[in-house]
Amino acid sequence: MTQFVSAGEDKTSIQLNVVSPGYVKFSGTVVDTSHYFSEVQVKPSSSQKPGPTISLGTLGLNSNVSGDCTLNFSTDNNFGLRHVSSNTKLSDYLLNYRNKNISGKQNKKMSVPCNYKPEKIKFNTTGQYLAEVEPGMYSDTVRVEVVTQ
């Protein structure tokens, strides 16, 4: 007995996809830095309030995403310099970025282009300053989060 095999036909598709993830990164000289100041550098004079303005460096964004991004500013001590041991507050402070003051009370969020050249970010103490300053270090940590819109 002879068996016959008939010719067949089949088709398939192979789909190729390449995904390029969006990114946004901080740029500038202030990224991942620590700053140390003496009390003399940040204390307001009796006639000067707020305290002296100090440049912290520059902050910008580099991205392959078009449009705007949101910067969210937050700190461990709500924009206050606190003694690392006793937690005594030396003074509140504000940051100034893009000609806007950022503090515990205002402008903790701002919209910026996702590609933005580094611009100066500044710091100065504000409000009541401790009359009797306990020796030691006063500190706060600022976090900046960027979210694409």
Side-chain angles (χ1 to χ4, degrees), residues 53-130:
T53 300
I54 299 169
S55 177
L56 299 177
T58 60
L59 180 66
L61 294 175
N62 182 338
S63 178
N64 68 350
V65 176
S66 61
D68 288 339
C69 286
T70 301
L71 297 181
N72 298 310
F73 291 83
S74 63
T75 80
D76 290 344
N77 298 325
N78 194 30
F79 295 87
L81 296 170
R82 293 197 167 268
H83 195 279
V84 295
S85 299
S86 69
N87 202 34
T88 304
K89 186 191 287 188
L90 175 68
S91 177
D92 289 325
Y93 67 90
L94 61 81
L95 301 174
N96 184 280
Y97 184 60
R98 300 186 76 217
N99 294 318
K100 291 185 179 164
N101 289 334
I102 304 158
S103 69
K105 298 176 184 168
Q106 61 185 355
N107 297 326
K108 291 184 205 178
K109 288 185 176 186
M110 69 173 58
S111 182
V112 299
C114 289
N115 278 291
Y116 188 72
K117 67 178 178 53
E119 186 174 310
K120 284 185 183 179
I121 186 166
K122 301 169 197 166
F123 155 90
N124 62 285
T125 55
T126 60
Q128 190 66 30
Y129 195 90
L130 269 183

